[in-house]
Amino acid sequence: MKKHETGFPYRHVAGYLLSIIMTVLALIIAFKTDLSFNMIMLVIGALAILQAGLQLTMFMHVNEGESGTINVINMAYSIFLAVVIVAGTIWVLTSGHAAPIN
């Protein structure tokens, strides 16, 4: 079992600062660059995913403890299921497989 730390929470401060930096970077990219709309959305989406991962590891300690590996595997599986459901729904609704309505 991990010993309880009583010192200054350097990891939490570092995680907070990195989250702020990523948010400001997303704002700069959105408002101060001449990138295309699709590229801006791609960069902001990538920064959002990185920030979510950072917050899960730094603040929620998802990979620590006895069930850390199980938590990571469960989250990866949940993300996989969400992607399959959303992509499958979009595919079915846009591919025209439905019978025509008369």
Side-chain angles (χ1 to χ4, degrees), residues 20-74:
I20 295 295
I21 289 169
M22 283 190 236
T23 302
V24 170
L25 186 60
L27 285 170
I28 290 171
I29 289 170
F31 295 118
K32 299 291 184 184
T33 62
D34 292 330
L35 297 173
S36 68
F37 177 77
N38 289 336
M39 185 56 79
I40 290 173
M41 289 293 113
L42 181 70
V43 171
I44 290 175
L47 284 170
I49 290 170
L50 285 173
Q51 188 170 0
L54 174 80
Q55 290 180 4
L56 282 171
T57 56
M58 294 294 235
F59 301 122
M60 298 181 75
H61 308 286
V62 76
N63 58 350
E64 294 178 3
E66 296 174 8
S67 64
T69 304
I70 295 170
N71 288 340
V72 172
I73 291 170
N74 287 340

Side-chain angles (χ1 to χ4, degrees), residues 2-12 64:
K2 188 175 180 179
K3 187 174 96 174
H4 182 67
E5 298 177 18
T6 58
F8 189 76
Y10 290 107
R11 286 180 46 106
H12 290 107
E64 294 178 3

